[in-house]
C-alpha cells in the first residue's frame, strides 16, 4: 500500500540509508522535478511528478511494511 505520510526515519529503514541521506536525496529529486511537496511540512506529502518514475514505483512488488518489520527484528 502507499503511505503518503511516511517519515524520513521509516523511509531510511526501508532503503537502508541514514535519514540525512534521505533528506539529501529528496532535495535532489525536487531539483530534478521528480518530487513535489503538497501541503504543509507536518501535514503534507510528497507527490511523484515524473510519469516514468510513477510507473516504476507502481510496479514494485515488495511491501514496505514487510521490509520495515524485517529491519526492526
Amino acid at each position: 500500500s502507499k503511505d503518503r505520510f511516511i517519515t524520513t526515519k521509516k523511509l531510511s529503514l526501508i532503503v537502508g540509508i541514514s535519514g540525512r541521506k534521505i533528506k539529501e536525496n529528496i532535495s535532489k529529486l525536487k531539483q530534478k522535478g521528480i518530487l513535489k511537496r503538497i501541503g504543509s511540512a507536518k501535514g503534507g506529502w510528497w507527490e511523484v511528478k515524473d510519469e516514468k518514475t510513477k510507473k516504476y514505483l507502481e510496479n514494485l512488488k515488495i511491501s514496505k511494511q514487510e521490509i520495515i518489520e524485517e529491519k526492526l527484528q
Side-chain angles (χ1 to χ4, degrees), residues 23-66:
K23 290 176 183 178
E24 286 177 15
N25 287 325
I26 287 172
S27 179
K28 289 176 188 177
L29 292 170
K30 284 180 1 184
Q31 289 173 353
K32 292 182 177 188
I34 294 172
L35 280 183
K36 179 180 179 181
R37 184 75 182 174
I38 307 296
S40 67
K42 291 272 185 181
W45 64 91
W46 293 102
E47 183 175 289
V48 178
K49 302 302 289 179
D50 180 71
E51 288 301 318
K52 184 177 179 182
T53 303
K54 271 187 195 180
K55 287 179 184 178
Y56 171 76
L57 293 172
E58 289 170 0
N59 288 328
L60 288 178
K61 301 294 181 193
I62 300 172
S63 164
K64 288 186 282 186
Q65 188 61 37
E66 289 174 10

